[in-house]
Amino acid sequence: MKIVFATGNLNKLKEINEISDGSGIEFILPEGDFNPEENGKTFEENSYIKAKAANKISRKMSLADDSGLCIEALKGAPGLYSARYAGTQQQKIDKILKELEHSTNRKAKFVCVMTLLDENGEVIHVSKGECHGEIALKQSGINGFGYDPIFIVENTGKTMAEMPEYEKNKISHRGKALSDMLSYICSRL
Ligand code: ITT
């Protein structure tokens, strides 16, 4: 079964196709440039906005992932604004390391909310995954994407960027949200 994955982020697409490998489900990109305005106030709202935009284009079953990094000492920032917190990814990382320079509280979590719509654009299922950890003092590792080099996963001592893909996918916010979503799809559809 093919499901449209409402994203412009190829790293996300790669991860979810790895996680769902062997499930009989393949996620494909929507046609054309995909960059709807994400003006929701929650991960749930933005995930719905993206799934709806993909469904409007394709008229097919569509899944969206809205995710972000929430840092306790920054009152949950960058949160919803994780993709737009600064210019380049390196600048986003540098900004966070600077903001936490004098902070002993480095607790953080990654959040992922997925919304699945049917062909008619109706919500079928919403799933959520979180991964807890802390912000490293300096970046480390080259795998993954985004904030992975500064996010140390709880109980591992490793940043997400120091983990091979299969290890990240087992414990990540996206891995958890997708696993719930796949169980739902496989049991109901
Ligand atoms: P789409 O909206 O097109 O899916 P996006 O990258 O703009 O792609 P989001 O709006 O959901 O996605 O923003 C999520 C941002 O949070 C993303 O750009 C990364 O900076 C960060 N992020 C999300 N998941 C991550 C992960 O697994 N590892 C590192 N950073 C992640």
Side-chain angles (χ1 to χ4, degrees), residues 1 5 9 41 47 50-51 55 61 69 75 78 89 91-92 98 114 117 125 139 154 164 170 179 188:
M1 182 198 316
F5 185 51
N9 183 332
K41 290 189 180 59
S47 142
K50 288 187 268 192
N55 169 265
M61 192 179 282
L69 176 65
K75 303 193 179 85
Q89 189 56 47
Q91 286 165 340
K92 291 174 206 163
K98 180 93 188 130
M114 291 188 169
L117 303 184
H125 191 59
Q139 69 190 83
E154 192 172 65
K170 262 197 274 178
S179 144
R188 302 289 292 270

Side-chain angles (χ1 to χ4, degrees), residues 117-147:
L117 303 184
D118 67 14
E119 297 83 353
N120 302 316
E122 299 297 326
V123 176
I124 307 179
H125 191 59
V126 177
S127 67
K128 185 170 180 174
E130 290 191 355
C131 180
H132 293 251
E134 59 182 51
I135 302 301
L137 293 170
K138 59 181 179 57
Q139 69 190 83
S140 181
I142 54 162
N143 300 329
F145 70 99
Y147 298 96

